[in-house]
Amino acid sequence: MDYKQLIIRGISYSQTQSGAYALLLEHEETHIKLPVVIGNFEAQSISLGLEKDIHPPRPLTHDLFTKFIVSANYELVSVIIYQIVDGVFFSNINFKNKSNDEELILDARTSDAVAMAVRFDAPIFTTQQVLNEAGILLELEDVSKEEQPFSETVPAEDNLKSLSMEELQKLLEDAVKEEDYDTALEIQEEIKRRKKNID
C-alpha cells in the first residue's frame, strides 16, 4: 500500500472539548493537515518525547514501554494510522526484532502510537483514504492584526449550511489560524458535503 508520511506540526488546546488537545499532523508534500484530538496525559507525553533534553524525575508510561522494547531487543520501525471510524483514528505500531528481524504489529490508540514514535524517531504514516476523510487542505498565510478573532466570527453549526463556499473557506482558514481544529473539521465536512452533491 502507498502510505503517506506525516510530520508533527504541533499540539494545541482544544477549543471545543474541555481537557482535550489537538495533535496536528501534516503530509509535507500536499500540506494536508490531520488534526487528532488527544487527552492531556498523551499531549504531555508527546511533548516530552519531542523535547529530548527534558526528562521527568520518574519514567512516564511511554518511557517505561520504550525501555521494555529496547530491553527485549526490539525497535519501533513505524506507526501507521490506517483507518478512521466515526471520528476515531485507528493505528498500528510496527516493531522489528534486532536479533532475527521478526516483525511484530500491535494495535494502539493513535495518541499512544505517536508518543512512542517520537521516542524512537520513527516515521508516522497514514493512507490516502484517511487523508481524504479527515484531512484539511490549507495553506496558512500571515494573520492580519486588524482581523477579528475567529472565536467572535464563527457562526453556530446550524448556520454553516446558509453560508456560501467562499465564506466557508474563509471560516476554515480562520479556524486553522486560531488552531481550532475541531471547528475546522466541521467546516471541512460541510465543504466536502457540498462538493459531493455537486459531483
Side-chain angles (χ1 to χ4, degrees):
M1 185 175 287
D2 182 23
Y3 290 116
K4 311 297 181 182
Q5 186 166 355
L6 302 171
I7 60 171
I8 298 174
R9 276 296 182 206
I11 299 173
S12 65
Y13 189 74
S14 175
Q15 301 287 333
T16 58
Q17 294 190 35
S18 177
Y21 289 78
L23 167 67
L24 186 64
L25 304 171
E26 182 183 68
H27 182 230
E28 271 194 305
E29 293 179 15
T30 61
H31 301 290
I32 293 177
K33 294 165 180 62
L34 197 66
V36 182
V37 177
I38 61 176
N40 175 52
F41 172 76
E42 291 78 11
Q44 180 188 40
S45 184
I46 293 170
S47 296
L48 287 173
L50 290 169
E51 297 290 338
K52 304 297 184 184
D53 297 331
I54 300 177
H55 303 285
R58 301 295 295 150
L60 300 175
T61 303
H62 297 113
D63 297 324
L64 181 63
F65 192 36
T66 296
K67 290 181 180 178
F68 174 77
I69 293 167
V70 173
S71 299
N73 208 28
Y74 275 84
E75 62 179 337
L76 194 156
V77 178
S78 65
V79 163
I80 298 177
I81 304 170
Y82 65 89
Q83 188 178 19
I84 178 171
V85 179
D86 296 329
V88 178
F89 293 91
F90 290 78
S91 298
N92 283 332
I93 305 177
N94 299 317
F95 300 95
K96 181 184 284 187
N97 189 307
K98 293 181 181 180
S99 302
N100 56 20
D101 288 338
E102 179 185 354
E103 296 182 352
L104 175 65
I105 300 174
L106 296 180
D107 180 42
R109 296 186 308 167
T110 298
S111 55
D112 290 328
V114 172
M116 294 302 302
V118 297
R119 284 164 169 76
F120 283 88
D121 292 319
I124 302 167
F125 298 98
T126 192
T127 65
Q128 186 62 54
Q129 183 177 355
V130 170
L131 288 176
N132 291 343
E133 290 184 25
I136 298 173
L137 179 55
L138 192 64
E139 289 282 359
L140 297 183
E141 298 176 358
D142 292 334
V143 184
S144 170
K145 291 182 180 179
E146 288 76 28
E147 287 187 27
Q148 195 175 11
F150 174 72
S151 58
E152 298 178 13
T153 60
V154 65
E157 182 180 351
D158 293 341
N159 294 335
L160 290 178
K161 294 182 174 65
S162 65
L163 298 177
S164 68
M165 286 291 282
E166 292 75 18
E167 289 171 324
L168 286 173
Q169 194 62 41
K170 177 64 170 65
L171 282 176
L172 179 59
E173 293 173 9
D174 289 344
V176 175
K177 287 173 184 176
E178 290 293 318
E179 299 183 347
D180 184 359
Y181 302 115
D182 296 336
T183 301
L185 271 176
E186 292 178 12
I187 299 169
Q188 180 79 359
E189 284 301 313
E190 177 63 19
I191 292 173
K192 287 181 180 178
R193 185 187 65 79
R194 292 192 192 185
K195 287 182 178 178
K196 187 176 181 180
N197 289 338
I198 292 174
D199 297 340

